[in-house]
Amino acid sequence: MSEQSTPLRFVHDALPQRVLFGAGQASEHVRQEVERLGARRIMLLASADEEQLVTRVAERIEPVLVWTEIAQHVPVDIAVAARAAARAASVDALVSVGGGSTTGMAKAIALETGLPIIAVPTTYAGSEATNVWGLTEAERKTTGIDDRVLPVSVVYDSELTLTLPVALSVASGLNGIAHCVDALWAPRADPINAALGAEAIRALAAGLRGIVADPQSLAGRDDALYGAYLAAVSFASAGSGLHHKICHALGGTYGLPHAQTHAIVLPYVTAFNVDAAPGAARRLQAAFGADDPLAGLVALRDELGAPRALRDLGFAESAIDEAASIILPSVPPSNPRPVDAGDLARIIRAAWAGTDPAELRAP
Ligand code: NAD
């Protein structure tokens, strides 16, 4: 990391995006952005479960098409149908209201059509701030980078997150923290994305503590949303590290829920890598405000009551070796500690059982 490289040399790309942040302001901000784009034929995307949120957000626009078929990890067949519907309705902009799955569906449409996206996130997944798309076909998740899928505008309104259950808020927030931690050893790690990630960890940790203490606290929800954005910017800039490669495979192939999987796996990847990455360790120590970075992360996880074991999500022990072999070819060369199939199996087994993450630290 930066402290160790003399002279300091790096190339950092920042993504162009407009962010409008304000509790209770989503419908006005969406209207403004639709007007700014000059869009007249809006396709609104939101899962049927998020209908109440959508009604509030869309009260100042008149969509020509409302798409409610949303599924995690964006199955290709649904994406194909959504693109066809967008074309048939001559849509000129997409407004997505929901979590990462809804944003992901809008991205799948934009990937082929180039339509601009106004994203209104209602979880802490952060997909709205990245140019990363994901599609799942035949139990394999494919991800890619394309600037066409980066939402042109992001509208954050913490009132929309008040209905997100505490357990899901915690898991989703730890998904955000995972973006920051993994960014420290990701392929394009640099001092800028590391600095954003450190501030994001502080904001997310404070926000999640606030939400657990009082789920209706807008201050906690604001902190968490702000942190989720910074975390995603950090991740988009640094790229996917080992943690994200593991979680992509677990989600895409075994259908595990995204946020909970990230929340469970993060301490294990951190334990595996942290002693081989002293610069990252120092940043995490400071961000978690702990003497030991892993202990700081685990203490936060436990304080928040986050999920701990993949077996509780229905992941089968018999799938561990297969999962390791699927992940192995995608392990980034930037990982600070060499990784073989046996290491991956040990990481996944420990996460499956929910054993003490510290057992995976470098000897
Ligand atoms: P999600 O969008 O699937 O939402 C989880 C559940 O929460 C759903 O049932 C949803 O209806 C509900 N929900 C969402 N907002 C709510 C609210 N405010 N109140 C009540 N319920 C609400 O889950 P997620 O974790 O946000 O997103 C996961 C997906 O996003 C995965 O497919 C993942 O791959 C993708 N993702 C992509 C990127 C990227 O950069 N491309 C980044 C992060 C996540």
Side-chain angles (χ1 to χ4, degrees):
M1 294 310 303
S2 63
E3 304 97 325
Q4 296 165 319
S5 27
T6 309
L8 194 55
R9 282 188 183 145
F10 61 88
V11 174
H12 176 90
D13 288 309
L15 297 175
Q17 199 171 48
R18 189 155 201 245
V19 176
L20 299 91
F21 201 108
Q25 292 185 285
S27 69
E28 176 52 23
H29 282 158
V30 166
R31 186 200 64 75
Q32 276 176 25
E33 290 308 287
V34 165
E35 198 175 295
R36 193 172 69 90
L37 291 176
R40 296 186 185 284
R41 300 187 62 80
I42 302 294
M43 177 174 182
L44 180 66
L45 295 105
S47 90
D49 301 341
E50 290 146 26
E51 202 181 336
Q52 277 190 332
L53 301 177
V54 176
T55 311
R56 277 159 62 191
V57 173
E59 64 192 10
R60 294 173 208 211
I61 57 171
E62 286 174 18
V64 293
L65 177 62
V66 179
W67 185 267
T68 57
E69 202 178 351
I70 306 290
Q72 254 196 117
H73 308 304
V74 195
V76 164
D77 53 336
I78 304 182
V80 168
R83 286 170 189 151
R87 288 193 175 106
S90 303
V91 161
D92 60 7
L94 308 168
V95 174
S96 65
V97 183
S101 300
T102 311
T103 314
M105 186 56 67
K107 286 178 161 184
I109 300 172
L111 183 63
E112 284 211 348
T113 61
L115 287 168
I117 302 172
I118 299 169
V120 187
T122 62
T123 69
Y124 310 123
S127 176
E128 67 279 0
T130 83
N131 55 0
V132 179
W133 54 266
L135 285 165
T136 303
E137 186 168 28
E139 297 181 341
R140 285 287 189 280
K141 183 166 179 176
T142 310
T143 59
I145 295 177
D146 193 312
D147 284 347
R148 280 179 304 178
V149 308
L150 178 76
V152 293
S153 311
V154 184
V155 171
Y156 286 110
D157 178 344
S158 55
E159 284 188 2
L160 302 175
T161 62
L162 290 173
T163 47
L164 193 64
V166 171
L168 191 48
S169 301
V170 165
S172 189
L174 285 168
N175 180 193
I177 290 180
H179 293 330
C180 313
V181 175
D182 211 32
L184 294 171
W185 40 66
R188 299 185 303 279
D190 69 38
I192 296 177
N193 47 49
L196 292 171
E199 168 64 1
I201 289 175
R202 277 188 283 272
L204 279 162
L208 294 178
R209 287 188 171 110
I211 292 167
V212 168
D214 175 7
Q216 297 304 303
S217 144
L218 273 183
R221 299 280 181 184
D222 267 350
D223 273 347
L225 263 188
Y226 160 70
Y229 171 72
L230 289 183
V233 172
S234 173
F235 162 62
S237 162
S240 288
L242 178 63
H243 169 85
H244 279 78
K245 296 300 182 187
I246 292 174
C247 293
H248 280 172
L250 294 175
T253 302
Y254 304 101
L256 301 188
H258 180 83
Q260 293 86 337
T261 303
H262 276 263
I264 291 168
V265 171
L266 181 63
Y268 297 96
V269 174
T270 306
F272 184 82
N273 272 348
V274 77
D275 297 318
R282 275 195 299 279
R283 287 185 187 273
L284 293 177
Q285 215 175 348
F288 286 114
D291 291 341
D292 177 80
L294 178 64
L297 170 61
V298 171
L300 179 68
R301 175 197 73 171
D302 293 350
E303 181 189 336
L304 298 172
R308 288 181 184 210
L310 293 176
R311 65 177 162 193
D312 296 339
L313 303 183
F315 182 65
E317 185 179 13
S318 57
I320 291 173
D321 289 337
E322 180 194 55
S325 67
I326 292 170
I327 296 160
L328 189 62
S330 66
V331 170
S334 66
N335 199 63
R337 192 173 159 192
V339 188
D340 62 22
D343 295 323
L344 288 171
R346 278 195 308 127
I347 293 170
I348 301 167
R349 180 172 298 284
W352 170 80
T355 51
D356 180 2
E359 290 168 11
L360 287 170
R361 290 186 94 137

